[in-house]
């Protein structure tokens, strides 16, 4: 597949990295010589300096025979025009644009993106995606990552093993005997920064981070087995009244009747906008790094504090200060990849990466075959791929123990109509089943091929 990526920032870089790793033909366009030089040195892709919306630049990038254009520059207007030019002049089959400004995303203006206007096939809003990711995490306290799969029937949950975790030093094969009603599969373990697919004989140690898959009805019980029995927060303080903060609080107002919601926003003008947009949230104009402001917002009694300003350092320090005062959980927005592995060790419970969230959403639209969804796991330790089993895929009709899955991958669950089937050695995949596969980065391409129509590859 040939893909033209407009924008070599963090999102563009990571999309290019993922696609190049899978041996796609990738061309990256950006106006910054520095970013283009960086991506040329680090990745096996073609990189071109130029304005992504200019027809001659897209022509040099090979848009004429591209299968897809992904526009993720810093400017919404450049992204939209690049997609329009790619469709009108070069007949690129699929165009994806990242759009941040919420005005463009107002439902009353939705027609602007249709084929008769800008011709954009998929619009991605990082702010909305991030707000939804934070909301999912707040619904499942104790987890650092929550991924909905199969229309919400199944969840992939990331959880940390603390010193008091009941299953530390226990072989995974014994989980079923210890907790007979526990219907889960441990799919991935991250230990000392390295991820691996565990075997039945592996055991967990304090400090491990793991992902497990479970039907939604079993998630709470599974978290308890790993030592997490926190209740869903109803006293919540949000620091940062930008698009993410407002989107999140709007969802919380709709979902949590009677919840105690507070917002701290530094800029007076933005605080007034927030106060006008929100109905049940108390808005405080002040600095989230000042103890007096945090006390006024009731952080001492808050069950969760969410820091979503546009500055990573402010988010991290505000979260740490809030926890020191007495807040329960801290959820922190971190844009810089270098901070992501460091923050959990500081005592912050959940780290949200807009980059990872946006990349996951975009990759979902890039995969070939019957791929229903793709999610990048935290710190790029792997992916969870939801695919449909086709007659030609080689998955049909054989017990799982006889299927030669790519090394570094594991099946977490099957979804058959409305039934969730947790895989065992004698489980057989049937035509049309949704198969949830966890894969380390090096196994992703091979897993993708399991769900492809064979003619696509011959």
């Amino acid at each position: 597949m040939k893909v033209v990526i407009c924008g070599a920032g963090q999102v563009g870089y990571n999309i290019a990295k993922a696609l190049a790793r899978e041996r796609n033909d990738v061309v990256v366009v950006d106006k910054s010589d520095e970013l283009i030089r960086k991506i040329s040195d680090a990745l096996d892709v073609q990189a071109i300096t130029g304005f992504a919306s200019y027809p001659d630049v897209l022509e040099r990038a090979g848009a004429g025979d591209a299968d897809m254009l992904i526009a993720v520059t810093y400017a919404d207007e450049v992204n939209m025009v690049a997609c329009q030019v790619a469709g009108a002049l070069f007949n690129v089959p699929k165009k994806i644009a990242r759009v941040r400004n919420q005005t463009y995303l107002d439902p009353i203006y939705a027609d602007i993106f249709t084929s008769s206007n800008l011709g954009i096939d998929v619009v991605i809003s990082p702010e909305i995606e991030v707000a939804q990711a934070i909301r999912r995490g707040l619904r499942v306290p104790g987890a650092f990552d929550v991924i909905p799969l199969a229309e919400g029937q199944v969840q992939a949950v990331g959880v940390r093993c603390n010193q008091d975790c009941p299953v530390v030093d226990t072989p995974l094969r014994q989980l079923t005997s210890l907790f007979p009603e526990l219907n889960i599969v441990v799919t991935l373990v991250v230990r000392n920064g390295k991820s691996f697919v565990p075997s039945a004989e592996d055991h967990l140690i304090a400090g491990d981070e793991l992902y497990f898959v479970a039907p939604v009805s079993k998630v709470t019980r599974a978290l308890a087995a790993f030592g997490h029995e926190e209740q869903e927060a109803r006293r919540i303080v949000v620091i940062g009244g930008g698009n993410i903060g407002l989107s999140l609080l709007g969802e919380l107002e709709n979902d949590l009747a009677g919840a105690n919601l507070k917002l701290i926003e530094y800029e007076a003008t933005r605080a007034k906008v927030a106060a006008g947009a929100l109905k049940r949230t108390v808005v405080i104009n002040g600095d989230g790094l000042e103890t007096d402001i945090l006390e006024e917002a009731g952080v001492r009694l808050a069950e969760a504090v969410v820091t979503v300003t546009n500055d990573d350092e402010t988010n991290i320090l505000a979260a740490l200060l809030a926890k020191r005062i007495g807040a329960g959980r801290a959820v922190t927005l971190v844009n810089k990849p270098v901070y992501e592995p460091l923050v959990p060790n500081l005592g912050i419970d959940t780290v949200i990466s807009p980059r990872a969230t946006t990349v996951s959403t975009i990759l979902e639209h890039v995969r070939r075959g019957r791929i229903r969804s793709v999610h990048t796991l935290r710190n790029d330790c792997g992916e969870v791929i939801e695919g449909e089993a086709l007659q030609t895929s080689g998955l049909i009709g054989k017990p799982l123990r006889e299927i030669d899955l790519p090394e570094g991958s594991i099946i977490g669950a099957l979804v058959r109509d409305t039934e969730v089937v947790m895989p065992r050695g004698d489980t057989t995949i049937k035509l049309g089943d949704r198969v949830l596969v966890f894969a380390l980065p090096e196994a992703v391409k091979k897993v993708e091929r399991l769900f492809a129509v064979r003619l696509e590859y011959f």
Side-chain angles (χ1 to χ4, degrees), residues 114-131:
T114 61
S115 58
S116 59
N117 292 307
L118 292 177
I120 301 174
D121 301 292
V122 179
V123 177
I124 305 296
S125 169
E127 288 77 9
I128 293 175
E129 298 286 344
V130 168

Side-chain angles (χ1 to χ4, degrees), residues 217-237:
S217 61
K218 300 290 185 180
V219 168
T220 300
R221 180 68 188 90
L223 284 168
F226 291 106
H228 293 276
E229 299 186 75
E230 300 91 333
Q231 299 298 310
E232 182 176 4
R234 300 190 68 81
R235 291 191 296 270
I236 302 169
V237 177

Side-chain angles (χ1 to χ4, degrees), residues 384-457:
V384 54
I385 300 171
E386 178 184 341
E388 181 180 339
L390 302 174
Q391 188 68 54
T392 59
S393 70
L395 296 171
I396 305 296
K398 293 188 289 186
L400 292 185
R401 66 169 63 93
E402 297 180 11
I403 295 177
D404 186 20
L405 284 175
E407 185 176 355
S409 66
I410 184 173
I411 293 176
L414 308 177
V415 178
R416 187 169 296 151
D417 297 322
T418 59
E419 178 190 5
V420 178
V421 179
M422 303 311 292
R424 300 292 182 260
D426 57 354
T427 303
T428 300
I429 298 176
K430 297 182 179 180
L431 179 66
D433 283 355
R434 292 197 187 188
V435 187
L436 311 181
V437 184
F438 279 69
L440 300 179
E442 59 271 20
V444 167
K445 189 65 175 179
K446 294 177 182 178
V447 170
E448 181 185 346
R449 285 176 175 161
L450 291 176
F451 300 105
V453 177
R454 292 191 184 279
L455 289 176
E456 291 182 11
Y457 293 94

Side-chain angles (χ1 to χ4, degrees), residues 142-145 157-163 165 167-168 172 186-198 202-212 226 228 339-351 377-382 438 440:
F144 64 74
D145 197 3
V157 179
V159 67
R160 188 175 294 106
C161 291
N162 299 321
Q163 292 288 349
C165 176
V167 295
V168 162
L172 292 178
V186 177
T187 55
L188 206 69
V189 176
V190 182
R191 181 176 297 163
N192 298 323
K194 295 183 178 180
S195 55
F196 62 93
V197 174
D202 282 318
H203 62 273
L204 303 172
I205 63 175
D208 280 354
E209 294 182 343
L210 62 94
Y211 280 89
F212 68 81
F226 291 106
H228 293 276
Y339 287 160
E340 288 180 40
L342 303 177
V343 174
N345 296 326
L346 300 175
I348 293 173
D349 302 279
T350 303
V351 178
L377 305 180
R378 199 171 78 163
N379 297 330
D380 298 325
C381 65
F438 279 69
L440 300 179

Side-chain angles (χ1 to χ4, degrees), residues 350-393:
T350 303
V351 178
I352 300 294
S353 167
R355 169 189 58 84
T357 303
T358 305
V359 169
S360 291
T361 304
I362 290 174
L363 287 179
E364 181 177 332
H365 299 281
V366 173
R367 303 302 188 192
R368 302 175 70 178
R370 291 297 182 89
I371 304 295
R372 295 296 188 93
S373 67
V374 176
H375 299 271
T376 302
L377 305 180
R378 199 171 78 163
N379 297 330
D380 298 325
C381 65
E383 292 185 10
V384 54
I385 300 171
E386 178 184 341
E388 181 180 339
L390 302 174
Q391 188 68 54
T392 59
S393 70

